[in-house]
Amino acid sequence: MKDVIYTLLLSVMVLAGTAAMSDAHAQTNTEKIDTVVENTAETNSVLATVSEALDELAAGVEDITAALLLLSEDVSTADSRITNLESKLDELTSVGGDGVTLQTFTEQISSINAQIAELRAQLGIFQGSVTSGPMQGMSGDDGIPNPPVKAYARTDVVFDIQLATEDAGDRLDLVRDNAMHGIVVPRITDWLREDVSPGQNDAPIIFRYITLLHNAAFDAVAPYHSTAVGVYSRIEHRPASESETNLLPNTAVMYASYRSMLEFAPHRADEWRNMMTDYGLDPDDESGLNLSCSQTHELSSPVTIGNHAAKCVLEARHDDGFNHFGTETIQPFGDTTGYQPVNIPDSLVDPSRWSPLMAFNRHGEFGVQQFATPQWANTETYSGLDPRSLRIPPPMSSNHRNADAYQAQADEVLNLRANLTGNDKILIEFFDNKLRELVHRPALKNIDDVVEYIQLEFLLNMAKFDSGTIIWQEKARYDAVRPTTAIQYLYDDEPVPISIDANGDVEMVPANQWQSYLQTADHPEYPSATTCFCAAYAESWRLYTGSDDLPAYVSGDNVIHGYEAILPAGSSLIEPGMTPSEDIHVIFDSWSDYEQRCAASRVISGTHFWPAVEVSVDTCNTAANTVFAYWEMLIHGNAPLRGPATSMDPDPMLNGPSWTGY
């Protein structure tokens, strides 16, 4: 029905002579976009004249459709009448400007409405001869719950149709499709996987890029929402008619993303330019890049809006403490805190503290691990969250002076690691993949409205980014030992179990050769970062939907689960071609289920102890609530304009004695 109304609206614009749009799907270049913007005001009077008739038409057709689903007799008669109406609608939407007047158009609308009223009477909709009962999957006693009501939804979620993406070979339509989901995200995912993190597990850098990208997009679509404001820019709201389709918001998003990606990866400039020219957009249009970010602007062009939004985000976050762009003496993302480990690979001074291992880094270079981005602890948060106000207790079982507890948690990890199944391993890799949310998504994220989609995405990524400041703060503070080091310290060259084969035989290795299933991460163990990101993500969804549930929905003969993923046979990055032995269908029935299985995956993989994952769930749930409160202020237009972000002072608690007594 939404598609029919769009077609009629565009036809009205042609008939009135106010916008020469022969094909709405062709409006994907800058010149035609500007035409739409310029003619919007002129078209408003025409649209107002026919809007009431169109509303009646829409309601009538919807009633007919609903009735036909339930009617058990006279269907053939009704079907014939519907066919006749559809034919007349086709005639309406195919007319050109050859003498057809607004009066003729409205007369035809009235005629169709009269026939709809007659058909309503025949079907007995108003006489009560047709009573509507609960439809499967929507309400009633069929065991399938209603989709949750989303407090911030502007459109319906498309549960049974996957959104179009270039990765799937689709050619997207900027009028109807979601450019962020279908064009931008596949391209940036490929770049992150190929150039930034081939292992797809370098959380600080991956989330940094993704959060900035969605921040720029969020600020770019804010003018197309009735109340929302940007984080780092202020642009007057556009008329509601400009967001009736995705064309103008999509265009703003494309320019905001293009400017961001040029800054992130200038060596791929040709690829980013092709992204624009493939959709008729001019990558050399720099309008908006010279505007001040401290002032409110009234901008009509989506090109200018997108460029300005990206510029303001990139400038504001340039010196926020993350060292994204490097300094004269420190490379981009390099440590600005001066962190020095107590231990080194060949010398274990304190068995309670983190010991860098010899391992491959994200560039494929083998060497001594370096604490990845410890300066995240000093990075300004989006939400105003003060990480210094959120503290977690020390990991007492990781203090080797508590000998029994220290050995007990190490032995537990040894046992869990040895008993891993193929299904366990691929689920461990699923949660370790920091790009997974760009590939796998809950059904509720199947949103075709690009404004709503980006608002949700920014919430989810902002929650993970701000939570990361707390986790990195406490990682640096406790500098806690990883299981690999603890096991090697306890057992040296004694044999320990590492796996159980298909015959049930236990494979043993010397403890000093024991490894976790995942490569041990390049930062201290406590608290768990991956668990935190899962918890922040899950809590944000709970706040957004008002529910912990991830219910299933019925679409025809299919059951669509709230969050499911197919992990193909042999898709493991660690045991390629072998694990899993068959396709694994993963289903999460609640967000609690999601975050608990995520937490457990870190322990059974051998990368964490239980206390590290337990504190992360609580801490990052709390952080997500602070982020959500700020996000609501942005959506409702109450958030103040943010100035350039700055680095926080170092954590004062780093100056005291170590929690281990050394």
Side-chain angles (χ1 to χ4, degrees), residues 339-356 371 476-480 524 658-660 662:
Y339 170 86
Q340 292 294 327
V342 170
N343 302 309
I344 58 176
D346 295 328
S347 177
L348 191 64
V349 175
D350 184 351
S352 306
R353 304 280 290 277
W354 181 56
S355 179
F371 189 165
R477 178 185 173 202
Y478 291 120
D479 198 35
S658 167
W659 63 281
T660 66
Y662 277 79

Side-chain angles (χ1 to χ4, degrees), residues 164-182:
T165 67
E166 287 189 330
D167 267 5
D170 300 321
R171 170 73 181 183
L172 269 70
D173 172 8
L174 294 187
V175 174
R176 301 180 186 277
D177 291 328
N178 179 335
M180 191 69 183
H181 169 86

Side-chain angles (χ1 to χ4, degrees), residues 5 9 12 44-58 102 105-106 109 113:
I5 298 302
L9 287 173
V12 172
N44 282 341
S45 61
V46 179
L47 295 180
T49 304
V50 298
S51 62
E52 183 177 354
L54 289 174
D55 288 341
E56 293 176 6
L57 175 62
L102 179 60
F105 182 82
T106 53
I109 292 282
N113 277 330

Side-chain angles (χ1 to χ4, degrees), residues 153-206:
R154 296 177 66 229
T155 60
D156 291 332
V157 175
V158 186
F159 289 105
D160 55 348
I161 301 175
Q162 287 297 313
L163 300 183
T165 67
E166 287 189 330
D167 267 5
D170 300 321
R171 170 73 181 183
L172 269 70
D173 172 8
L174 294 187
V175 174
R176 301 180 186 277
D177 291 328
N178 179 335
M180 191 69 183
H181 169 86
I183 300 172
V184 176
V185 167
R187 291 172 186 254
I188 199 167
T189 301
D190 288 344
W191 163 63
L192 289 170
R193 186 183 292 123
E194 293 166 8
D195 292 1
V196 176
S197 181
Q200 305 173 48
N201 56 1
D202 294 284
I205 298 176
I206 288 175

